[in-house]
Amino acid sequence: MKKRDEIPVCDTWNLADILPSDEAWEALFLETERELAGYKEFEGHLAESGEVLFQCLKFDEDISLKIERLFVYGREKSDEDTAKAKYQDFSARAQALSYKAAGLSSYIVPEILAMDESVLSGLIRTEKELRRYARTFEIIMKKKAHTLSAGMEELLARLRALTRRKGTYLGDTLSQGNLKLNRDTGELLCSDSSVKLGNKEYQVMEMLLAN
C-alpha cells in the first residue's frame, strides 16, 4: 500500500477548503473555546424577544459549524497517517469542545418548550429571521412530552455530542434488530406491534438503541 506522500496530490482530498494549516486549526480552536462563554448571555432570556431567540440559535449554529471544521480536519489528517498522534489529539480536543458546548447550550430546547406555542408563534412573526428555523421548532415541539429536567437534558446533550462526533448520526428513527424507535413520535415498534413510550422510557430506549 502506498504512503500518503507517494500518492499524487490530485488524488487526495484538499483539507485547505476546511482549514489551511495546523496553525489555523489551533487559532480556530482557541477562538471557539473563548466564544463558548457567549452561551451564558442568552440563558434565561429566550422568551424575551424574537431577536434574542434568533441571535441565540444563530450563535449555536456558528459554534457547531466551527467545531465541525475542527473535528473533520483532525479526523481526516489522522486518516492520512494514523501513526501521527498529533492529529488524533486534534480530534480528541475537538470532541471535548463539542462536549462542553453541548452542556452549555443544553438550556435552549427546554426554554423553547417552556414557551406557550402562541408566544413562540408571536416571536416568529416579529422576527422574520426565525423562519429559517421553522423545521427546528417543529422537531423540538414534537418532543415536548419527552423533555426532562434541565440537569438531565444537559447530561443527554453531552452524550449526544459524544455519539455524534464518533461519526454516528442520530436520525429520525433508531433501530436494532426488529426494534425501531420513532424519535419524532416517541413510538417503539417491534414487528407488527407498537407502543407509545413514557418520558423516562423513551430517554432510556433512545440511549440504548443509539449505542
Side-chain angles (χ1 to χ4, degrees):
M1 182 180 294
K2 291 183 178 180
K3 293 183 179 180
R4 169 77 179 191
D5 55 11
E6 297 174 334
I7 299 174
V9 175
C10 62
D11 294 330
T12 63
W13 51 66
N14 181 19
L15 291 181
D17 291 339
I18 299 175
L19 286 168
S21 65
D22 293 356
E23 290 73 23
W25 189 97
E26 290 286 2
L28 181 60
F29 180 89
L30 292 175
E31 174 188 308
T32 307
E33 189 175 43
R34 288 194 300 269
E35 289 179 350
L36 291 185
Y39 278 114
K40 287 295 183 182
E41 297 177 13
F42 301 105
E43 189 170 3
H45 303 291
L46 300 190
E48 291 180 1
S49 72
E51 181 180 1
V52 171
L53 180 56
F54 168 70
Q55 291 299 332
C56 178
L57 294 177
K58 182 64 169 60
F59 176 81
D60 183 54
E61 183 178 54
D62 291 342
I63 290 291
S64 295
L65 288 173
K66 288 179 179 180
I67 293 176
E68 193 68 24
R69 288 171 65 197
L70 291 167
F71 182 78
V72 171
Y73 181 89
R75 184 185 61 195
E76 297 301 327
K77 291 291 283 186
S78 177
D79 286 346
E80 288 180 2
D81 188 347
T82 56
K84 292 184 178 180
K86 174 181 181 179
Y87 298 117
Q88 295 175 18
D89 181 61
F90 273 17
S91 294
R93 289 167 64 193
Q95 183 169 306
L97 199 62
S98 175
Y99 178 79
K100 185 176 181 180
L104 291 171
S105 64
S106 63
Y107 64 86
I108 295 177
V109 170
E111 282 197 31
I112 291 174
L113 288 173
M115 300 178 195
D116 187 277
E117 289 193 36
S118 62
V119 172
L120 180 59
S121 297
L123 295 179
I124 295 173
R125 283 197 303 272
T126 58
E127 179 54 69
K128 294 181 179 179
E129 293 290 348
L130 282 175
R131 295 174 187 173
R132 63 191 279 189
Y133 298 105
R135 177 57 179 162
T136 299
F137 293 135
E138 181 182 343
I139 293 172
I140 288 174
M141 298 311 289
K142 282 183 179 180
K143 297 176 181 176
K144 192 165 188 174
H146 306 298
T147 301
L148 299 173
S149 64
M152 284 300 295
E153 284 297 322
E154 179 177 349
L155 174 61
L156 289 170
R158 291 176 184 270
L159 289 172
R160 290 188 183 111
L162 286 173
T163 302
R164 185 170 61 251
R165 298 302 167 187
K166 286 178 181 177
T168 301
Y169 170 70
L170 300 183
D172 292 334
T173 301
L174 295 174
S175 60
Q176 192 69 255
N178 61 349
L179 284 177
K180 291 185 179 180
L181 177 65
N182 187 313
R183 299 179 71 238
D184 279 339
T185 65
E187 285 185 292
L188 180 66
L189 295 89
C190 181
S191 299
D192 297 327
S193 301
S194 67
V195 61
K196 181 81 171 181
L197 297 181
N199 191 9
K200 292 182 179 179
E201 295 168 330
Y202 172 86
Q203 298 290 354
V204 171
M205 187 58 67
E206 183 186 40
M207 284 297 104
L208 288 174
L209 292 179
N211 295 283

